[in-house]
Amino acid sequence: MLPSLGIGRIIKSSIRHVSRKRRGGGGGGVVLFSRSLCVRTGGDNGSDAESTSPPPSTAAADHYDVVISGGGMVGFAMASALGKSARLSDRRVLLLEGGAERVWDLSPDYSNRVCALNPTTQHLFTSLGVWQHILDMRAQPVKRMQVWEACSEAMITFEGDEERPVAHMVENDVTLQALKSLIPSHVQVEYNSRVSGYQLPQDTSSTVTITLQNGRTISTDLLIGADGVRSGVRAAMGVQYLGWEYDQMGIVATLELSEPTDNTVAWQRFLPTGPVALLPLSEDKSSLVWSTTKKTAQHLLSLSDEDFTDALNRAIWDDKPRDARLESLHKGWLRLLETVLPWTNEGVVRQLPPSVTSVIPSSRASFPLGLGHAVHYVAPRVALIGDAAHRIHPLAGQGVNLGFGDVAILLETLEKAVLLGADIGDERMLYEYERGRQRHNMATMTSVEALYRLYTSEAPPLVLLRSLGLSAVNLITPVKERIMSHANG
Amino acid sequence: MTTILRRNLTGMLLGGVHRFWVPASQPHIYNAIILKKEAATYVTRVTPQGESSESTQSSSSSSDDIFNKHSNSDKTERSTYVEEEVAKFRYMSDSWWDINGDCKPLHSLNRLRVSLMREGLVQCGTAKMEYISGPQPLTGLKILDVGSGGGILCEPLARLGAKVVGLDAAEENVNVAQLHAEQDPRVQHNVQYVCGTVEEHAEVTKDQYDAVVASEVLEHVNHPDLFIQTCAQIVKPGGSIFLTTLNKTVGAWVGAVAIAEYALHLLPPGTHDWNKFVPRQELLFILEKNGFVTRMVHGMAYNPLNNEWYWIPNTAINYAVHAIKES
């Protein structure tokens, strides 16, 4: 049944740590067979090493064409993308995850970890064949976004429609499960594989060597770092990383609404302490993302569920004391806009957010907020994706979408490299990914950072400026469309 | 129909305007081929009788015909290479794979010439349908790279699945190319480097290749017509020839010689001899005369600031040609 010893060994080792087994007779298998024959060297056959086609320098190690470090949503999306690509179908792909494999079933309770997946991400997932699986499990479309603030009347709305929602709220576990369960069988996933060191080459004449804590070494033509904010791959690259921690914490929770409604609107209100967002999960449940100062966050986490709900409702409904002159200036500005742009006035209606009756017990959690950006995403035979490359404030719901955007563009770059007959670890090809992504990610991060700074201030001139600006943007459709199209990649 | 029309039109346009080479008017053995591509120089000329060729042969062997070594007896009569010409390139053999060295523009030219060849072979139906959307779209094709140098163009073609023969007159280049190919298993099994001249190769490989490429070679050839004629013998009927070279224009002298070699030192001074550049129309005529139908002619431009090549409509300096041998 097994065409060669090489494949037999791979299957054996797959059964040991891996959830999926390698196909015996496929095209990839045949390639594997011939390559393992030609380069197999003595070495440590007794260990769980399977040797296929390593370059002469690392003959004793396992060799993979691509190794992805980190089995989060972005890491698995990358693995899925590489596995599904026809141009990369002959590559051996390995995903290393430090944690244990988790058995997961869709429970009726919503998880408190939720992301808004934008249309670009939806497009990527559709092409990977996982989107329908996500919808089948659980996803709530967001057809409208309303953003307003505590210090003025100004607001902005973003409208989607039935066919093209602004985003979908999807629990992280659902996304991860969909990606994991549909990962192509020739992609190998190894859990409990903690990396103790990466040895990166100066140029493409040698390969990357990865040492695992269990002593095993792996070599690869391309290492993809999807290992999160404290990326070990980034550290090994020695790349400069610019960033800071905000004096803020994000509080997440699952909320029960007072009555079942259509609930397809995402609400976000800027408070001087940070934005609070209610994101729809179902008819009567929403997810909370509340960014606030560390001190307030500690206080909020210590409250009882009832008191927390009251505090949240106050944050959504109560206005800050307002400056009468600012109010009248803003009213005048709105009238002026309506006169100058009479045709844009339709459809911009202020809706009232739902009121929250309770917070689901023990669904409250918090996480630190920060900003960070790697000066380089790539080096010879290495590329960073997702949070390993950039970290962003959650106020625009862009974090993981940027990561999935990285996946899409890196895949495109690697496919292009294949078509040009280039080595997939060639830094000249990888720079193309870096150039394209940094341009987009930097623009997003700068805008989000500017919004954050603008809205954490209570100074009247700034309040006036942002109110006038927001109201104007809200009425000028082309500007709004530009914002939406950038946010959607 | 279109083909006939195009051939007639080309003939009419060219008639009387351009000087022709008439190889038949020269003693055959004088028909020299100088292939100084990238670094290799091939000169075919009269040699004293019985003197054996200096051309070395590839150490590799294969049962396949195209990989067969050239026999000495074939070469001695009319093939040797000019040591002085080759010598200035021998020193370069170290720098082929230094992507920031002298060969930097050749590395970045791959983006254009590999795309041209891949798309050309796919669109003219030479590439096999079952492979064109897979990881190795050129699987099953045999390609000859004349003047392969260090193998800068051979390697990507090999990764695309083609069986590539890299032909070069300088043993140093063949050795460098062979060593480098061994670093990548995807390349190693698909590429074979042969030391020799195109003329010698033509004697053992008639109508064998799906494609012949001579990239940045033609401008170093003494008699391009004989070169094309030799290539025509090697290509299968219906197969392709890909050429990239320099046009014989004032612009080409300014761009490729004055600026590239002397002002910016992108290439070692003396690399190019303007007198050997081939006017575009003349090349098209030679191709037609040797039974090729030109499918595409396109200009190329190099930006030394970002080391990138671009396709441009203007063929005044660098240009690329794809032609198909009539069946």
Side-chain angles (χ1 to χ4, degrees), chain A residues 35 38 53 55-56 65 86-91 205 416 418-423 427-429 432 435, chain B residues 99 107 110-111 114-115 118 131-137 155-156 159-160 182-186 189 308:
Chain A
R35 292 173 69 194
C38 63
S53 68
D65 294 305
R87 297 288 185 201
L88 295 155
S89 55
D90 60 342
R91 309 279 165 159
S205 61
K416 201 167 160 193
V418 169
L419 279 180
L420 288 173
D423 187 321
E427 73 266 33
R428 285 164 297 174
M429 296 305 303
E432 235 168 80
R435 253 202 316 272
Chain B
I99 57 168
H107 283 278
N110 273 354
R111 198 171 280 263
V114 173
S115 306
R118 189 194 65 239
Y131 299 116
I132 55 175
S133 41
Q136 298 194 311
E155 292 208 359
R159 285 197 194 92
L160 285 171
E182 282 162 15
Q183 290 178 16
D184 187 343
R186 282 172 191 279
H189 302 306
E308 278 191 34

Side-chain angles (χ1 to χ4, degrees), chain B residues 179-254:
Chain B
L179 275 177
H180 196 268
E182 282 162 15
Q183 290 178 16
D184 187 343
R186 282 172 191 279
V187 171
Q188 196 182 10
H189 302 306
N190 278 348
V191 81
Q192 178 90 44
Y193 292 102
V194 177
C195 188
T197 69
V198 70
E199 211 172 43
E200 293 159 4
H201 200 67
E203 296 189 356
V204 290
T205 58
K206 296 245 186 286
D207 295 347
Q208 290 228 355
Y209 289 95
D210 295 290
V212 170
V213 55
S215 183
E216 308 304 301
V217 167
L218 216 55
E219 65 271 27
H220 305 291
V221 168
N222 248 0
H223 293 279
D225 54 342
L226 181 61
F227 176 74
I228 300 289
Q229 190 190 326
T230 315
C231 289
Q233 296 165 13
I234 293 175
V235 182
K236 280 181 190 168
S240 293
I241 186 167
F242 295 93
L243 303 162
T244 74
T245 186
L246 286 157
N247 205 341
K248 197 170 191 170
T249 60
V250 177
W253 181 83
V254 173

Side-chain angles (χ1 to χ4, degrees), chain B residues 4-251:
Chain B
I4 297 164
L5 194 66
R6 197 187 307 143
R7 292 197 62 184
N8 286 340
L9 273 175
T10 322
M12 279 156 59
L13 286 171
L14 286 169
V17 178
H18 290 273
R19 121 187 123 82
F20 301 153
W21 278 286
V22 187
S25 69
Q26 302 168 355
H28 185 56
I29 46 171
Y30 275 102
N31 287 339
I33 298 178
I34 300 179
L35 296 180
K36 187 178 71 178
K37 185 241 175 151
E38 296 173 2
T41 301
Y42 301 70
V43 175
T44 314
R45 61 163 196 211
V46 188
T47 51
Q49 222 180 355
E51 184 187 295
S52 77
S53 167
E54 290 176 39
S55 296
T56 29
Q57 295 169 12
S58 166
S59 55
S60 41
S61 64
S62 161
S63 58
D64 199 328
D65 272 357
I66 59 169
F67 292 159
N68 280 349
K69 300 171 179 185
H70 303 129
S71 64
N72 266 333
S73 57
D74 282 344
K75 290 192 294 185
T76 41
E77 265 188 32
R78 50 186 183 172
S79 149
T80 182
Y81 55 66
V82 177
E83 185 51 36
E84 310 84 72
E85 279 292 313
V86 178
K88 67 180 173 185
F89 296 106
R90 281 190 202 282
Y91 303 114
M92 256 176 83
S93 60
D94 289 342
S95 67
W96 285 117
W97 289 101
D98 175 7
I99 57 168
N100 295 311
D102 283 345
C103 299
K104 189 164 122 176
L106 284 174
H107 283 278
S108 67
L109 181 58
N110 273 354
R111 198 171 280 263
L112 263 54
R113 53 190 180 176
V114 173
S115 306
L116 167 74
M117 292 183 65
R118 189 194 65 239
E119 285 309 301
L121 290 169
V122 166
Q123 280 169 21
C124 69
T126 311
K128 299 191 167 51
M129 273 302 282
E130 62 264 43
Y131 299 116
I132 55 175
S133 41
Q136 298 194 311
L138 300 185
T139 305
L141 302 188
K142 285 178 187 171
I143 300 178
L144 176 70
D145 180 4
V146 184
S148 54
I152 295 174
L153 179 56
C154 292
E155 292 208 359
L157 295 173
R159 285 197 194 92
L160 285 171
K163 291 278 177 204
V164 184
V165 175
L167 186 62
D168 203 289
E171 196 184 2
E172 283 83 350
N173 293 337
V174 170
N175 291 342
V176 166
Q178 191 65 45
L179 275 177
H180 196 268
E182 282 162 15
Q183 290 178 16
D184 187 343
R186 282 172 191 279
V187 171
Q188 196 182 10
H189 302 306
N190 278 348
V191 81
Q192 178 90 44
Y193 292 102
V194 177
C195 188
T197 69
V198 70
E199 211 172 43
E200 293 159 4
H201 200 67
E203 296 189 356
V204 290
T205 58
K206 296 245 186 286
D207 295 347
Q208 290 228 355
Y209 289 95
D210 295 290
V212 170
V213 55
S215 183
E216 308 304 301
V217 167
L218 216 55
E219 65 271 27
H220 305 291
V221 168
N222 248 0
H223 293 279
D225 54 342
L226 181 61
F227 176 74
I228 300 289
Q229 190 190 326
T230 315
C231 289
Q233 296 165 13
I234 293 175
V235 182
K236 280 181 190 168
S240 293
I241 186 167
F242 295 93
L243 303 162
T244 74
T245 186
L246 286 157
N247 205 341
K248 197 170 191 170
T249 60
V250 177

Side-chain angles (χ1 to χ4, degrees), chain B residues 272-283:
Chain B
H272 289 116
D273 173 5
W274 187 79
N275 295 310
K276 292 205 174 71
F277 292 5
V278 189
R280 185 182 58 120
Q281 290 296 21
E282 206 160 83
L283 175 61

